[in-house]
């Protein structure tokens, strides 16, 4: 009797393992942050930003609290301030993409996913520098 | 008695079929820029992170920017001193850094590792008799490097129980050949932690 | 009796499958600046703490500041004298210190460890026949060091019963080559205590 | 009988260990101290500070009693006075981060967590020196 229960438990474990290996759908969606430099008729330029949440569970944990920029010479430098809303340690990754005036991506597929570790409720900035002076907009993908 | 053993064998055979049916190799294209590490060894994501950090820092540095506004400085990438215990293709790492810097349009690069091919072509143009001397490229007009990018890759590995902790540090310097001064320096630290467990996750 | 053994074998086989399927190594990127030590060996956090202390002290020192207001003094980092019983990559430690000092913009550094690469490039510019002499970088115009940063790393280890106590002390000096005087000095002490226990943690 | 109790104790210990490995949530949150240099129209500058508590348990033990600053040449030097409210020995770690005028982090990811040991009810200061003269604000994370 005891042995049978043990066997059933083992069987359930094997099934769980197989399911884990063959993989039910793993969510890889996240948050997208878009920043576009717009130039007003009087010559001043400003950054308009948008945050698109595709994964509400991740967005509950990581919040984009600020999007800033400055120019390093003629290169756009973008900075995101991320805050963890979670008490434990969070692991996620982000990737920058850069776009020119015509909306085309500059040097596509060259920016890589960068892993970040956020400790409980920590606030951190992640930065990226545009690959060229023609960049007028950027996009940051965040996922875990 | 015999019957029971037969059932046992059927069960084992069934298990084998199950295993054989599930076992198999599925091959797919993956994300080349993925940051999901498989082991604590130096991997593609580490290479990409280091290259991105170095390029961003070099492009945004005020001192380097000042030197590269009037005209593009000529750079040479030195071999990376690999102080890890792994065999790492550090040339691939510096190739990535050089490629991104060339694409930025802020720097000029020369490459001494392919000088022999250039010399072979110059010789062919002069001595093969095939090339019109008027169309041949004159020799001895190339640029020399004004700066050298030097780098170190260090590793600290600690293993305790089921946990392996590997720390990589890549340090890069921009050496001005005229003054000998290191005009720029930056480093990138990466930590990878492997935990062996009996329960998978 | 025999029947039970057969079932027992199936159970064992199942357990083996379970183990093979579930056992695994989880690899993750960790915080590269983490201060959770795994052992009393010299680790990445010790390196970072020492580098930060030395840099902060050197930047805030009034005497050093006075010397670096008119123009940037030229420094050279000497090899660290490693008096511990461990193999420690002390160059990686001084690399961190040098990088932070260069980034502060208060000091100039020369690097004698990469002089050979510079000489190779000078030779290539003069002797390969590829480089236009007018574009070549003139040799013999580099700066020399006015100050040398020297350092010692000492260790005192004591082991009693299940307790291991390791004390590290890093001492750094800034030697003025003109006067021979040590213009600045600082040290950083680190203690790591390991307690072996029977209950895992 | 004794043997069985021992076995059960071992089992419970193993279960607790496994739970530790597979990880119930470990709180890694702490306290955040922010200091910003603000320059008044008459040229005098002063430090405005804020303490953000994310971990009330830690905040009951460690209290930030003072935030001071001075200039070492043109470099901002920040000092935090921490007091332990606990009778025993406390172990925690802190990390500085530095920001420029535009709110972008200067040399991100280069400052490391520094461990500190506070004996019972002890008061200690921790200091940091800005990595460059462009620094106008700092942030200190404290966690255990």
């Amino acid at each position: 009797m005891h042995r049978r229960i043990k066997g059933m438990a083992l069987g359930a474990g094997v099934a769980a393992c197989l399911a884990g290996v063959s993989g039910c759908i793993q969510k890889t969606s996240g948050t997208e942050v878009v920043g576009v430099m717009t130039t007003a008729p009087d010559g001043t330029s400003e950054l308009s930003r948008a945050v698109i949440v595709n994964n509400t569970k991740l967005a509950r944990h990581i919040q984009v609290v600020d999007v800033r920029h400055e120019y390093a010479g003629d290169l756009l430098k973008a900075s995101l301030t991320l805050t963890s809303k979670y008490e434990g340690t969070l692991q996620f990754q982000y990737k920058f993409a850069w776009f020119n005036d015509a909306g085309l991506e500059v040097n596509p597929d060259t920016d890589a996913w960068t892993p970040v570790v956020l400790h409980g409720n920590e606030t951190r900035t992640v930065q990226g520098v545009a690959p060229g002076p023609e960049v007028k907009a950027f996009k940051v993908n965040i996922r875990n | 008695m015999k019957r029971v053993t037969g059932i046992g064998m059927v069960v084992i055979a069934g298990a084998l079929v199950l295993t054989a049916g599930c076992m198999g190799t599925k091959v797919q294209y993956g994300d080349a820029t993925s940051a999901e590490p498989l082991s604590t060894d130096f991997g593609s994501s580490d290479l990409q992170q280091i290259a991105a950090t170095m390029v961003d820092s070099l492009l945004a540095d005020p001192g380097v920017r000042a030197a590269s506004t009037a005209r593009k400085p000529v750079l040479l990438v030195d071999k990376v001193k690999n102080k890890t215990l792994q065999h790492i293709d550090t040339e691939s790492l510096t190739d990535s850094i050089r490629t991104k810097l060339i694409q930025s349009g802020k720097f000029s690069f020369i490459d001494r590792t392919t000088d022999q091919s250039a010399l072979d072509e110059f010789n062919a143009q002069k001595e093969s008799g095939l090339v019109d001397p008027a169309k041949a490229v004159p020799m001895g007009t190339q640029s020399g490097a004004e700066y050298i990018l030097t780098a170190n890759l260090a590793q600290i590995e600690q293993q305790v129980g089921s946990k392996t902790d590997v720390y990589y540090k890549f340090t890069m310097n921009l050496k001005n050949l005229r003054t000998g001064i290191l005009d720029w320096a930056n480093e990138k630290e990466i930590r990878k932690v492997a935990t062996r467990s009996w329960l998978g996750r």
Side-chain angles (χ1 to χ4, degrees), chain A, chain B:
Chain A
M1 181 56 188
H2 268 294
R3 193 154 288 170
R4 201 200 272 169
I5 288 169
K6 216 187 245 172
M8 277 166 69
L10 264 177
V14 169
C17 267
L18 288 178
V21 167
S22 66
C24 35
I25 298 163
Q26 205 201 334
K27 260 202 191 178
T28 52
S29 56
T31 303
E32 209 172 285
V33 180
V34 181
V36 182
M37 292 303 300
T38 47
T39 311
D42 63 342
T44 57
S45 70
E46 83 180 12
L47 183 78
S48 63
R49 47 210 110 168
V51 178
I52 301 146
V53 172
N54 293 317
N55 186 337
T56 45
K57 196 173 158 242
L58 181 76
R60 267 203 299 275
H61 285 340
I62 301 175
Q63 203 184 352
V64 181
V65 291
D66 207 356
V67 184
R68 286 172 182 266
H69 78 288
E70 66 174 8
Y71 276 93
D74 53 359
L75 297 179
L76 181 65
K77 194 172 168 184
S79 162
L80 258 66
T81 308
L82 303 168
T83 295
S84 164
K85 294 290 194 187
Y86 182 64
E87 292 184 328
T89 301
L90 278 180
Q91 295 211 308
F92 64 96
Q93 39 191 330
Y94 69 90
K95 183 162 88 161
F96 273 90
W98 306 92
F99 301 89
N100 69 8
D101 225 353
L104 268 74
E105 189 169 353
V106 180
N107 301 341
D109 298 330
T110 53
D111 282 277
W113 289 101
T114 309
V116 183
V117 177
L118 261 190
H119 296 288
N121 295 104
E122 197 182 4
T123 299
R124 264 184 81 165
T125 60
V126 298
Q127 294 186 359
V129 178
E134 70 273 32
V135 166
K136 290 280 176 290
F138 63 88
K139 196 184 71 181
V140 190
N141 276 302
I142 301 164
R143 68 185 187 90
N144 60 357
Chain B
M1 194 39 189
K2 187 124 199 211
R3 190 179 128 254
V4 170
T5 322
I7 289 174
M9 276 174 70
V10 167
V11 168
I12 288 169
L16 284 176
V17 166
L18 186 74
T19 315
C22 285
M23 209 170 62
T25 311
K26 192 172 74 168
V27 182
Q28 282 180 308
Y29 281 104
D31 183 355
T33 62
S34 160
E36 269 113 45
L38 278 181
S39 79
T40 55
D41 288 350
F42 193 85
S44 60
S45 176
D46 308 324
L47 186 153
Q48 291 160 350
Q49 287 173 51
I50 287 173
T53 308
M54 292 304 138
V55 170
D56 278 11
S57 165
L58 203 47
L59 288 178
D61 187 82
V64 174
R65 222 159 53 217
S68 66
T69 41
R71 56 179 201 82
K72 292 193 206 177
V74 183
L75 272 68
L76 172 69
V77 176
D78 194 25
K79 266 201 192 108
V80 175
K81 203 197 287 176
N82 179 2
K83 297 188 289 180
T84 71
L85 298 175
Q86 298 169 46
H87 173 80
I88 295 174
D89 182 359
T90 53
E91 195 185 5
S92 165
L93 178 52
T94 51
D95 276 355
S96 281
I97 295 173
R98 193 173 62 189
T99 303
K100 282 171 193 278
L101 289 175
I102 292 174
Q103 284 177 342
S104 79
K106 304 277 176 195
F107 301 94
S108 297
F109 274 88
I110 59 164
D111 179 12
R112 291 270 170 245
T113 64
T114 49
D115 268 1
Q116 194 51 52
S117 307
L119 281 172
D120 289 349
E121 172 60 18
F122 278 123
N123 281 339
Q125 291 189 6
K126 271 194 286 191
E127 283 155 32
S128 69
L130 290 167
V131 178
D132 179 356
K135 289 182 185 165
V137 176
M139 206 174 149
T141 61
Q142 296 191 353
S143 299
E146 301 163 81
Y147 294 88
I148 299 186
L149 273 174
T150 60
N152 279 344
L153 180 61
Q155 175 189 13
I156 298 175
E157 183 167 341
Q158 292 192 321
Q159 194 165 356
V160 174
S162 62
K163 202 169 182 180
T164 309
D165 178 301
V166 185
Y167 164 86
Y168 294 100
K169 184 154 72 69
F170 183 83
T171 312
M172 196 164 224
N173 295 304
L174 182 70
K175 186 177 193 164
N176 189 327
L177 276 181
R178 204 177 298 269
T179 61
I181 302 288
L182 302 181
D183 281 355
W184 165 91
N186 199 21
E187 58 184 28
K188 169 72 178 171
E189 299 164 296
I190 292 175
R191 180 183 303 278
K192 289 169 105 171
V193 182
T195 320
R196 224 176 29 234
S197 69
W198 297 98
L199 281 169
R201 39 179 84 196

